[in-house]
Amino acid sequence: MQWRSIVVGLVVLRLSVSWVLWLAFGLGPEISSGFNFHLGFNLHKLDLLFREEKEADPSAGCWSQRVQGHRYDETATTCAEIREDSTRRSYLNLFDGNKDEYVRRYRSFPDTLRVKMKDMAKEMFYFGYENYMKYAFPEDELNPIDCEGRGPDVMNPSNININDVLGNYSLTLIDTLDTLLVLGNVTEFQRAVKLVIDTVSFDKNSTVQVFEANIRILGSLISAHILLTDSKHPFGEVGFKDYDNELLHLAHDLAVRLLPAFENTSTGIPYPRVNLKTGVPQDSINETCTAGAGSLLVEFGILSRLIGDSTFEWVARRAVRALWNLRSNETGLLGNVINIQTGQWVGKQSGLGAGMDSFYEYLLKSYILFGEKEDYQMFKAAYESIQNHLRRGRESCNEGEGDPPLYVNVNMFSGEIMNTWIDSLQAFFPGLQVLNGDIDDAICLHAFYYAIWKRFGALPERYNWQLKAPDVLFYPLRPELVESTYLLYQATKNPFYLHVGMDILQSLEKNAKVRCGYATLHHVVDKSKEDRMESFFLSETCKYLYLLFDEDNPLHKSDNKYIFTTEGHVVPIDKRFREKQWNDLSPCEEGALAETETSNQPPPSNISNCNRIPEERRYALPLKSVYMRQIDHMVGVF
């Protein structure tokens, strides 16, 4: 009988504690009508109940209620409405000042720690770079576990995971050129440039993906050439006596070899792959992804304007227009895979991750670089469609009730949710929102991805937000979260983002470091590894980590503005790129501009948006503790 008494006592204690908590937070019996308060509530639901802010229809902000395009039936424990006349003690007050572990952890970042993290990021880069040069060069990549080089898989041409990227052209060295300058190593930068000039040729029997060759090789050659020849941007005089535009000539040669991808397509959308010697393979497929076909304009456009040949910009812009004109009339969204001959959408999923990401990115960055009004109009219309159809959650990131903002994958024609996962590439989007001045939404989406990182010490390739579990478990050292962290820090100067960077840096050191570099995580839970270090780890991940902690970097002190390409290559915003040596490339295809002209307001200037952040929030957490706790709980951090 004694054990029964104990059980009864525990039940009574639980009921008493729950009732005391209810009364303590000011929820009186006056709101109990129609409110089914479960005694087994979790912290996520408690957050939603005790919001300081009030909304007319908080349930409208619940992405957890919108699966397959429909809301779940409203329940009182999810996004429940608190009546306006409810008087209660503010839940947010519980997290003020020193009472709040989030404030205690993130409110400051000492200079000594920042310098330590900067040095740690530099050491990370050099550990990977020097081992690549020692064990792998002139091959494309380093196998960091076996300390060997890796090139194309010539025995298995269908292995596109390798062969799309590796072209037998010293990929990692080329992709890393401007990172050496960012780290201040002019001597090694000049040595690396000479190595590229002396050893690299694109006259290879290699079939590569047009998109990957463009962003990793072409973009880096152009960036390094500009930095070598223009002392204003942004590292000063780094050229050497015998340089004769060889990197530009290599870039031109590569671009010419990519041009056959744009031939013999009825839509103008390019084939996904070319052989660098022979052109489009005989057995080439007619399907390509939106990002792959529509993310060539920055590099091709700069090349055209440097050499005075409109061909490259013309074909890249024609592809963008073709994709844009095939968007849905109902939603304004694009799909993720298209047939380049028929113009039919093979993949009807519309999202912000793989297959879509850099298409949106390059609409805005092309406008910033070239000043073409058409690019901004397309971006503005695309961003509006994204907000209308992909965004779920409460209206405001830092106010109100409901689930945090999240961008989901939907059917391009109906806007209905197609699945409940997001992928790691989508973590780039907060950085793009920073460039667009949408800092508040950037803060919230970034916090969601950071919570996933905190849970796993990495970003799984796909994360199922409904199941709170990874769908695809590997992490190939991607840079997107680091990039958004860096850009948000530049926009807000909030020490929170230095802590995020430190967490990422320490996780990589702990989980990915191996004998000769940093290895892909095969499984983010058990931390097993694959023997591959992709070039973007040195080109982007290490670069953004270093820049995050290096307040005095020339990029931050320069009077000249710059942007990063989608592969993280430094490109100055230069008056030269807004001038063409030819007339308009072509009349806009019918509907390309007219349908996107949604406002007569001028596009934004290149002025910082930092002053749009309220003064009081510059010295507090970028996201209120209550919402940060809500996201952490929803992801399963605790």
Side-chain angles (χ1 to χ4, degrees), residues 270 289-297 316 319-320 323 358-360 362-363:
C289 70
T290 302
S295 305
L296 308 171
L297 185 52
V320 172
L323 288 164
S358 52
F359 175 80
Y360 302 118
Y362 269 21
L363 290 179

Side-chain angles (χ1 to χ4, degrees), residues 405-434:
L406 186 72
Y407 293 85
V408 299
N409 300 317
V410 304
N411 182 288
M412 65 174 290
F413 295 109
S414 67
E416 293 188 352
I417 293 181
M418 292 187 68
N419 49 59
T420 57
W421 54 260
I422 53 177
D423 67 47
S424 63
L425 288 168
Q426 186 184 310
F428 92 98
F429 197 66
L432 186 63
Q433 291 180 306
V434 168

Side-chain angles (χ1 to χ4, degrees), residues 25 43 46-47 50-51 89-104 621 624-630 638:
F25 288 118
L43 185 57
L46 184 66
D47 286 346
F50 295 100
R51 241 0 136 240
R89 177 183 169 192
S90 170
Y91 180 47
L92 295 177
N93 289 341
L94 294 179
F95 295 94
D96 285 345
N98 292 326
K99 299 177 184 177
D100 178 10
E101 71 270 28
Y102 286 90
V103 173
R104 287 198 305 271
L621 292 176
K624 291 176 183 175
S625 294
V626 65
Y627 298 126
M628 202 173 292
R629 179 180 288 270
Q630 176 197 28
F638 58 84

